């Protein structure tokens, strides 16, 4: 029996081929839908306008800034509500050791160690300046009457503080302790020329000097000031500024202060144990 040439067999094959192609296209679309991101999606994402993208970045930046500001405010509130304890000798030495730990060798660190005998009694009861100095320095009146120091370019008592304004306040607060015969010097940089200070130190035997670590170091480096006649060095350690930071908490001040200690104060304190350090 021969083939039925009247049947349109090629149409059936074309239909089968079309059905197969449609199934493959449908599967391809489904497979793409299951994927994460297509190339066309990436293209659409890249078409986001720079202005819109910049606006989104600004919003994120503002959120981060607000978060940081809130954190700082919480720290300030915490410090303002809690009354910090006055520093001890151990606190001062620990802070100095922490500062020099990564800069000096163990042997060099050991050379900077001071003991209790190098210090006056710290101001643990938060007394006013004059009251503290009177209780810690018992021979002050005798030293003034003996007209110490015996040479110029030095001072009997040196008070180190954080700023010029604070130095002026401390000089005023110490008036009752100093007495009328005391010669005072203000050694800071604000509105004060270093040459004028050098001339004053050369012409006078100063008993009481108050200043900032940076200016004191500059005067010592220029050899217009020395610690040979200095019996007492008092640190304005416990005072905090408007940001609740002490002198040792401000990086620049801390570097100046401990650099001064390393080069001048500690060697002088270990020479005959004449220099005593107070913590106010």
């Amino acid at each position: 029996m021969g083939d039925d040439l009247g049947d349109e067999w090629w149409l059936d094959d074309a239909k089968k081929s079309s059905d197969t192609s449609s199934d493959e296209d449908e599967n391809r679309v489904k497979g793409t839908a299951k994927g994460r991101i297509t190339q066309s999606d990436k293209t659409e994402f890249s078409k986001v306008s720079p202005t819109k993208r910049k606006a989104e970045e600004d919003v994120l930046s503002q959120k981060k800034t607000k978060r940081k500001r809130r954190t700082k405010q919480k720290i300030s509130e915490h410090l303002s509500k809690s009354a910090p304890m006055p520093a001890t000798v151990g606190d001062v030495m620990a802070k100095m050791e922490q500062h020099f730990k990564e800069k000096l060798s163990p042997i060099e660190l050991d050379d900077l160690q001071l003991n209790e005998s190098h210090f006056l009694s710290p101001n643990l009861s938060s007394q006013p300046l004059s009251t503290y100095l009177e209780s810690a320095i018992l021979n002050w009146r005798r030293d003034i009457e003996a007209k110490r120091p015996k040479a110029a370019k030095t001072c009997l008592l040196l008070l180190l503080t954080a700023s010029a304004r604070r130095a002026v306040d401390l000089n005023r607060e110490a008036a009752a302790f100093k007495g009328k015969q005391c010669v005072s010097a203000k050694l800071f940089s604000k509105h004060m020329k270093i040459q004028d200070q050098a001339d004053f130190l050369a012409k006078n035997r100063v008993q009481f000097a108050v200043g900032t670590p940076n200016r004191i170091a500059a005067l010592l480096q220029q050899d217009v000031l020395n610690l040979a006649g200095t019996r007492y060095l008092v640190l304005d350690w416990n005072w905090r500024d408007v940001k609740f930071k002490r002198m040792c908490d401000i990086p620049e001040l801390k570097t100046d202060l401990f650099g001064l200690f390393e080069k001048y104060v500690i060697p002088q304190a270990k020479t005959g144990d004449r220099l005593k350090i107070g913590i106010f």
Side-chain angles (χ1 to χ4, degrees), residues 121-143:
S121 300
N123 188 24
L124 297 179
S125 56
S126 301
Q127 297 173 319
L129 181 58
S130 282
T131 306
Y132 166 67
L133 293 177
E134 287 172 358
S135 64
I137 304 174
L138 302 178
N139 297 326
W140 180 255
R141 299 298 176 197
R142 188 182 66 185
D143 290 335

Side-chain angles (χ1 to χ4, degrees), residues 75-137:
I75 293 172
S76 300
E77 289 175 355
H78 174 73
L79 288 173
S80 63
K81 291 177 182 178
S82 60
M85 296 296 294
T88 63
V89 173
D91 295 332
V92 174
M93 293 306 300
K95 198 74 175 178
M96 184 165 61
E97 184 176 349
Q98 181 185 8
H99 175 75
F100 285 119
K101 190 173 183 180
E102 297 181 357
K103 302 176 182 179
L104 301 177
S105 67
I107 296 176
E108 290 172 325
L109 273 176
D110 191 59
D111 290 338
L112 297 180
Q113 292 300 313
L114 296 172
N115 54 49
E116 294 281 346
S117 66
H118 294 111
F119 287 84
L120 299 168
S121 300
N123 188 24
L124 297 179
S125 56
S126 301
Q127 297 173 319
L129 181 58
S130 282
T131 306
Y132 166 67
L133 293 177
E134 287 172 358
S135 64
I137 304 174

